[in-house]
Amino acid sequence: MTDCIFCKIIAGEIPSSQVYRDEQATAFRDINPAAPTHILIVPNKHLDSVNQMEAADEPLIGHLFSIAKSLAAEAGLTESGYRLIVNTGAGAGQTVFHLHLHLLGGKSMNHLLG
Ligand code: DGP
């Protein structure tokens, strides 16, 4: 999508602190980190949100979680813990409408969501 900021990051048109890339997905550091480790893991193909995913996207979405697991391990978070968040819809706090998985860790987090 031409007006999607994450599509532009994936295309290299907007700089980002990229930490992972493969044929299906890209991961980069959040511009406004909410924790010492705050990485966004995004599919390279545009999906507005989970609402737009179809059954055929299940392997892709699962792949995002596998990347999150690996990046969490690289960041030393496997034992200390980390949080994965997928905001879906403006009412849930989604501000960028390109599906993304937040990987947050490196600080103590409360059980309840804010
Ligand atoms: P959400 O609220 O779930 O849609 O999260 C969107 C996140 O995207 C938010 O934490 C800030 C981040 N973000 C927005 N614009 C940019 C950008 O241009 N670069 C990077 N690296 N992150 C961005």
Side-chain angles (χ1 to χ4, degrees):
M1 280 185 71
T2 52
D3 61 347
C4 171
I5 196 159
F6 286 178
C7 283
K8 289 179 179 171
I9 286 174
I10 291 160
E13 295 166 9
I14 292 178
S16 72
S17 179
Q18 186 174 298
V19 295
Y20 180 83
R21 172 85 183 205
D22 66 24
E23 286 184 3
Q24 297 183 76
T26 301
F28 49 90
R29 296 196 185 280
D30 194 290
I31 203 168
N32 186 22
T37 295
H38 188 170
I39 294 168
L40 302 172
I41 304 152
V42 308
N44 292 341
K45 85 166 188 177
H46 184 90
L47 291 170
D48 286 343
S49 75
V50 170
N51 285 333
Q52 212 181 27
M53 79 171 278
E54 299 178 346
D57 296 315
E58 288 176 9
L60 173 62
I61 303 304
H63 186 54
L64 303 183
F65 277 78
S66 291
I67 294 167
K69 174 188 166 184
S70 297
L71 293 176
E74 278 179 26
L77 298 172
T78 302
E79 300 302 326
S80 57
Y82 53 94
R83 182 171 288 176
L84 301 176
I85 299 174
V86 183
N87 295 325
T88 304
Q94 186 176 6
T95 58
V96 177
F97 284 80
H98 181 125
L99 193 156
H100 52 281
L101 183 59
H102 293 257
L103 164 60
L104 294 149
K107 74 170 189 181
S108 176
M109 287 178 253
N110 293 329
H111 180 258
L112 292 174
L113 297 174

